[in-house]
Amino acid sequence: MPIAGFATVTKKVRSLPIKLKKRTTLRAVDSMKSSPWKERDVITRFSSSCQRHSQQIVRGIGDDCAVLAPDGQHDWVVTTDMLVDTVHFDTSWHPAYRLGRKCLAVNLSDIAAMGATPRFILLSIAIPGSFSNEWLEQWTSGFASLLDEFSCSLIGGDTVRGDQFTVNITAIGTTRKGRAILRSTAAAGESIFVSGQLGSAAAGLILCRQAGRLGPLDETLCRPFLDRHLDPAPDVACALLLAESGLITAMQDLSDGLATDLAHLAGQSMVGARVDASLLPEHENLARICAAIGHDPVQLQVAGGDDYHLVFTVQAGKDEELLRFLNSRKGPPIYRIGETFAGSGVRLQHDDREVDISFGGFQHRSPTADEPSVEAE
Ligand SMILES: Nc1ncnc2c1ncn2[C@@H]1O[C@H](COP(=O)(O)OP(=O)(O)O)[C@@H](O)[C@H]1O
Ligand SMILES: Cc1ncc(C[n+]2csc(CCOP(=O)(O)OP(=O)(O)O)c2C)c(N)n1
Ligand SMILES: [Mg+2]
C-alpha cells in the first residue's frame, strides 16, 4: 500500500545525485590536497596517539563512561573549558600543532591554580567539514605532546561536526586531602604575587592580528610574544611547589587578565587588592613591541588576558620564607606585585594615581553589549 507523500520523497531523492555530482566536482580540487575526516577514525586516532600514564584507569576510551579507581587519600579536582575558533584562537594564523597544545594548556592551568596535579582529560571537539585530516593530525600531535609532558591521560570525549572548530576539555586532577588552594581564603595584609611576566600573550595576539599591516619587525624581537600567545606553558610545577610550601592562602590562574582575575580572588576572599604597576613583571622588550603596535604596556599587563600564570597570596610575614623555600627547591621566579587590604576592589597605583580596575579584563559578551571594558581589541 502506497505511503502518503511517498512519490514526493522519491522525487526529491532522485534529484539528489545530480546535485551531489555538481558539489563533488566543485570540491574535487580540495580533496586532491586533503582527505576528509570521519568521527570513528578521529576517535581511533585519539585513542592510539594518546598514551595512558596511570594504573587507575579501569576503563578508558570506548565505553559510556570512563571508570577511575582513586585510592581514597586524595581529593579530585575537575575543570572544563570550551574554546571556540575566532573567540579563543584563530585557526587562520594559529598553527594546528601549537593550538592542540594551547587548548590543553589552558585547562592544565586551571588545575595548577588549585595546587593540584593534572591527571585525566576528556576532550570534546566540533570539527567543520572543511577541515582536513592532515590539520587534525597535527592538532592531535600537539595535544598529545602536552599530555605526555604532564603525564596526563586522555580517557574520553565526544566528536561531532560543527560550523566552528570548537574544543571542550574537561581536566581532572588530584591534591592531598583537604589541600586544594581556593580563591576565597586570602586575608587582609597579605602580599600578592604572580608567577610570571604579564602582557606578553596580549602583545602576541595583537602582533598576529596586525600581521601584514605592521612595518618590518625583527623576528627575534616578536618571537617570545608570539610564543606566549600561541603556545603558553601552564605553571604546573610552580603551583605544586607553592602548594607544598604550605604558605599560600589563595590562588587563581590568569586567563582574563589581572584586573578581572584578581577581582575574583579578592571578592571571594572579601578583601581589597592594591597593585603597583611598577612592580608588574614584563618581558624586557614589551615596551618596544607596544610602541610598534600602538598599545599601552600596563593596559596589556592588567587587562590583556591569556597570560596563564598564577596570582596568589602569601601568609602575612612569610614572603621571605616562601622565597627561600622556592630557592632551595630550584623553583621558578615569582614576583610580588602588591598587597591585600581590609576593603574591596582591585586598585592599581600608576603614575602617582590610584584607579579601580576591578573586572576590567576580558569578558565574553555580545558585540552590541555596551558594558565598558578596557581589554585590548
Ligand atoms: N575526541 C575524543 N577524545 C577521546 N575520546 C573520545 C573522543 N570522542 C569520543 N571519545 C570516546 O570514544 C568513545 C565513543 O564515543 P561516542 O561514540 O561518542 O560514545 P557514546 O555513543 O557513548 O556517546 C567514548 O568512550 C568517548 O568517551
Ligand atoms: C582570536 C582571539 N581573540 C581574542 C583572544 C583573547 N581572549 C579570548 S578568550 C580570553 C580569556 C580567556 O578565555 P575564557 O573563556 O574567559 O577562559 P576562562 O577564564 O574561563 O579560563 C582572551 C584573553 C584570543 N586569545 N584569540
Ligand atoms: Mg572567563
Side-chain angles (χ1 to χ4, degrees):
M1 194 176 125
I3 303 164
F6 184 70
T8 340
V9 172
T10 318
K11 218 173 155 192
K12 274 187 186 153
V13 170
R14 283 213 181 113
S15 67
L16 264 179
I18 303 160
K19 282 188 186 162
L20 274 182
K21 237 184 179 172
K22 272 188 186 163
R23 280 206 206 125
T24 315
T25 318
L26 284 175
R27 283 194 188 145
V29 182
D30 275 353
S31 66
M32 281 193 291
K33 281 189 257 165
S34 53
S35 57
W37 58 270
K38 284 200 302 291
E39 179 186 351
R40 290 287 139 220
D41 299 341
V42 172
I43 296 174
T44 304
R45 179 181 301 126
F46 282 127
S47 62
S48 59
S49 305
C50 304
Q51 294 185 24
R52 291 184 177 188
H53 296 279
S54 172
Q55 302 295 318
Q56 292 177 313
I57 306 169
V58 178
R59 186 76 175 102
I61 296 172
D63 215 299
D64 288 297
C65 281
V67 182
L68 308 175
D71 56 21
Q73 290 161 21
H74 293 97
D75 286 337
W76 293 74
V77 301
V78 182
T79 177
T80 191
D81 254 327
M82 172 104 83
L83 295 104
V84 181
D85 196 2
T86 72
V87 175
H88 294 85
F89 52 80
D90 196 321
T91 47
S92 67
W93 72 60
H94 213 129
Y97 181 89
R98 306 194 93 187
L99 183 57
R101 290 174 60 85
K102 179 168 181 172
C103 290
L104 181 57
V106 305
N107 280 272
L108 299 189
S109 178
D110 280 322
I111 297 282
M114 309 301 295
T117 307
R119 298 205 183 274
F120 304 104
I121 302 296
L122 289 142
L123 165 66
S124 297
I125 45 172
I127 312 168
S130 59
F131 277 41
S132 71
N133 239 324
E134 288 77 1
W135 192 93
L136 291 167
E137 182 91 51
Q138 286 179 32
W139 191 95
T140 310
S141 299
F143 176 79
S145 73
L146 205 70
L147 281 177
D148 289 343
E149 255 172 57
F150 289 95
S151 300
C152 289
S153 308
L154 183 68
I155 56 167
D158 201 16
T159 303
V160 300
R161 179 178 164 159
D163 288 344
Q164 289 282 81
F165 183 68
T166 302
V167 178
N168 183 79
I169 290 177
T170 299
I172 303 170
T174 54
T175 60
R176 278 165 56 205
K177 276 244 164 295
R179 298 296 289 272
I181 304 173
L182 310 180
R183 295 174 175 185
S184 53
T185 37
E190 295 179 343
S191 288
I192 304 169
F193 282 81
V194 290
S195 63
Q197 296 169 341
L198 306 182
S200 295
L205 170 61
I206 296 164
L207 284 172
C208 288
R209 277 193 181 137
Q210 296 189 0
R213 280 182 283 140
L214 290 167
L217 276 175
D218 184 23
E219 157 84 17
T220 43
L221 182 69
C222 297
R223 188 49 52 203
F225 301 94
L226 297 174
D227 285 349
R228 193 67 207 171
H229 166 63
L230 298 172
D231 192 3
D235 289 342
V236 174
C238 177
L240 291 173
L241 281 178
L242 293 173
E244 197 186 326
S245 77
L247 299 171
I248 307 308
T249 53
M251 184 150 71
Q252 119 142 62
D253 81 326
L254 291 166
S255 55
D256 294 331
L258 190 68
T260 290
D261 294 321
L262 188 51
H264 285 300
L265 187 151
Q268 291 191 26
S269 297
M270 293 190 288
V271 294
R274 185 173 290 107
V275 168
D276 182 342
S278 69
L279 296 178
L280 297 177
E282 65 182 48
H283 188 278
E284 56 185 345
N285 289 326
L286 181 68
R288 272 180 80 187
I289 287 289
C290 280
I293 59 182
H295 279 262
D296 172 23
V298 176
Q299 167 83 358
L300 296 192
Q301 289 187 288
V302 301
D306 265 346
D307 291 311
Y308 299 106
H309 288 301
L310 304 161
V311 59
F312 54 93
T313 48
V314 178
Q315 284 174 23
K318 301 285 183 166
D319 295 6
E320 287 306 317
E321 193 180 325
L322 177 65
L323 291 168
R324 277 198 303 276
F325 172 82
L326 289 179
N327 212 13
S328 72
R329 304 297 295 269
K330 305 213 172 351
I334 56 169
Y335 309 87
R336 187 182 180 282
I337 60 165
E339 65 283 316
T340 55
F341 60 90
S344 64
V346 180
R347 321 264 325 156
L348 180 74
Q349 294 174 315
H350 184 36
D351 290 341
D352 298 327
R353 286 192 321 142
E354 191 172 290
V355 285
D356 194 307
I357 56 165
S358 308
F359 296 105
F362 183 91
Q363 181 176 198
H364 293 284
R365 62 183 199 275
S366 134
T368 51
D370 57 359
E371 198 170 316
S373 169
V374 289
E375 84 209 33
E377 295 289 355

